[in-house]
Amino acid sequence: MDLTGRHFLKLLDHSPEEIGALLDLAAKLKDYKQRGILHDGLRGKNVALIFEKTSTRTRSAFEVAAHDLGMGTTYLDPSGSQIGTKESIPDTARVLGRMFDGIEYRGFGQSIAEELARYAGVPVWNGLTDEFHPTQILADFLTIREHFGRLKGINFVYMGDARFNMGNSLMVGCAKMGLNFTACAPKAYFPDPELVKTCEALAKESGGSVRLMTDPMAATKGADVIYTDIWVSMGEPVEVWAERIQDLAPYQVNKALMDNAGPQCQFMHCLPAYHDHRTKVGKEMGERFGRDAMEVTDEVFESPQSIVFDEAENRMHTIKAVMAATLGYWG
């Protein structure tokens, strides 16, 4: 399968076969890494990493993956480029495309990533936008495959706010790859109806399913994976916390929910997680609203059923696969 020169902007752009090939490549490159086998076949290439939103995992994953592949990296933080401020996105794309072999973008609207791709002339990779987070879903799926030996038929439940990048991308990925996806949230937090229709059609082709439910106990019965994310995303005002806590507190992942799913159930989270008061935000909001934890309890987060750090590590292996494949290297 040849993905050379392709962008990686959202999973809707890729077939199940292409997604599966990227997961296979990620598994192979992970094996090379663990056995100390060099896989630096992209020596001499350089990539630009544009971060309008900062991140621990995404930056680390792209930088380590690029270095393993033999590439150089240039990190452009929110103050490190003029994108969209003093220089238009098309102009930025054309400049960077003349200097770099690939461009990662992590920021705001999906339209920015799409416009970069339109003008860059080199592969553009979506490190996160408001609408989609495709590299995270590859990491999630590699992790599920490692723990269950398959993707098809997995009962996957996403708890909480399903309107944005994680809910959207997980629903698309599950529909493409034959998982049974359930978004469990208040109705006001359901995904966009048009995207739901698209995913329902994709699920019919793959043998999966898409459900939207409001009852946490009904939704999680027999779940293989329960997944959640923070209730207030990066860049949203502090005032949002009161509303989100009121609306989403019944959808917190706790031991009762995990027990309801069954012993086979694994807990996943894209991180960071507010499961205790050890972060500035977790402490401030926990004390303000009288809560020990937000979207997941510490008991679940630290339990043997939690595979969040396998998932975090796999960001690097799957991002490596995306860069390698789109730059023409399959190990």
Side-chain angles (χ1 to χ4, degrees):
M1 184 169 294
D2 188 6
L3 296 177
T4 306
R6 291 275 300 276
H7 305 298
F8 191 73
L9 304 176
K10 57 186 183 298
L11 293 181
L12 285 168
D13 299 335
H14 295 273
S15 69
E17 292 75 22
E18 289 170 341
I19 295 168
L22 288 171
L23 293 174
D24 289 343
L25 177 58
K28 180 167 76 168
L29 296 178
K30 181 175 182 176
D31 178 62
Y32 287 175
K33 175 93 170 172
Q34 291 176 336
R35 291 196 288 143
I37 297 173
L38 285 178
H39 44 285
D40 54 351
L42 293 176
R43 289 187 303 277
K45 294 189 180 295
N46 294 280
V47 296
L49 308 178
I50 302 173
F51 278 70
E52 291 194 297
K53 290 184 179 180
T54 57
S55 169
T56 300
R57 276 152 304 284
T58 303
R59 178 181 178 180
S60 299
F62 268 100
E63 289 195 342
V64 174
H67 294 162
D68 282 354
L69 291 169
M71 297 193 291
T73 61
T74 297
Y75 174 73
L76 301 171
D77 68 13
S79 64
S81 80
Q82 303 298 334
I83 184 169
T85 304
K86 293 182 180 178
E87 187 167 49
S88 71
I89 294 164
D91 290 358
T92 300
R94 286 178 287 191
V95 168
L96 295 180
R98 298 288 186 101
M99 299 181 181
F100 295 95
D101 300 285
I103 300 168
E104 179 271 353
Y105 173 77
R106 178 183 173 93
F108 298 94
Q110 180 72 15
S111 62
I112 299 174
E114 302 278 351
E115 195 168 13
L116 281 170
R118 194 173 306 124
Y119 290 96
V122 297
V124 173
W125 311 299
N126 179 358
L128 174 142
T129 64
D130 293 341
E131 295 91 339
F132 294 106
H133 197 0
T135 59
Q136 178 66 53
I137 278 57
L138 286 185
D140 298 338
F141 283 2
L142 180 61
T143 308
I144 292 169
R145 229 173 58 165
E146 289 172 343
H147 283 269
F148 291 93
R150 72 188 198 282
L151 291 175
K152 279 189 177 294
I154 290 292
N155 295 319
F156 187 104
V157 180
Y158 180 81
M159 301 290 299
D161 191 344
R163 298 171 296 174
F164 301 118
N165 47 32
M166 285 308 303
N168 290 343
S169 295
L170 285 167
M171 181 170 63
V172 170
C174 288
K176 287 254 184 185
M177 303 305 287
L179 291 79
N180 299 313
F181 176 83
T182 299
C184 185
K187 286 185 179 179
Y189 291 77
F190 281 174
D192 175 71
E194 288 303 312
L195 184 60
V196 172
K197 285 182 184 177
T198 298
C199 290
E200 286 173 340
L202 291 170
K204 278 187 179 180
E205 296 175 10
S206 70
S209 63
V210 173
R211 300 187 304 173
L212 307 180
M213 301 181 69
T214 59
D215 183 339
M217 297 303 277
T220 56
K221 191 68 176 175
D224 296 309
V225 173
I226 296 178
Y227 197 115
T228 194
D229 190 10
I230 54 175
W231 291 340
V232 177
S233 297
M234 200 181 307
E236 292 190 279
V238 170
E239 293 74 28
V240 173
W241 275 101
E243 177 187 359
R244 297 286 170 79
I245 288 172
Q246 178 180 328
D247 293 343
L248 296 175
Y251 298 87
Q252 181 191 65
V253 181
N254 52 39
K255 188 174 187 301
L257 216 59
M258 296 297 292
D259 289 345
N260 180 61
Q264 80 291 340
C265 187
Q266 305 290 297
F267 171 72
M268 300 181 74
H269 193 305
C270 53
L271 303 180
Y274 298 132
H275 58 99
D276 55 24
H277 286 188
R278 293 185 182 182
T279 64
K280 181 179 178 181
V281 174
K283 185 175 188 297
E284 178 185 348
M285 294 304 158
E287 290 177 350
R288 180 182 298 188
F289 294 102
R291 299 183 62 86
D292 294 331
M294 295 295 175
E295 72 278 4
V296 57
T297 63
D298 194 56
E299 182 179 23
V300 170
F301 188 88
E302 297 291 357
S303 74
Q305 289 173 282
S306 175
I307 54 175
V308 298
F309 295 110
D310 294 344
E311 189 183 354
E313 178 193 341
N314 282 338
R315 291 297 308 284
M316 188 263 288
H317 303 299
T318 47
I319 281 170
K320 187 186 295 182
V322 168
M323 290 195 293
T326 55
L327 293 175
Y329 175 66
W330 287 84

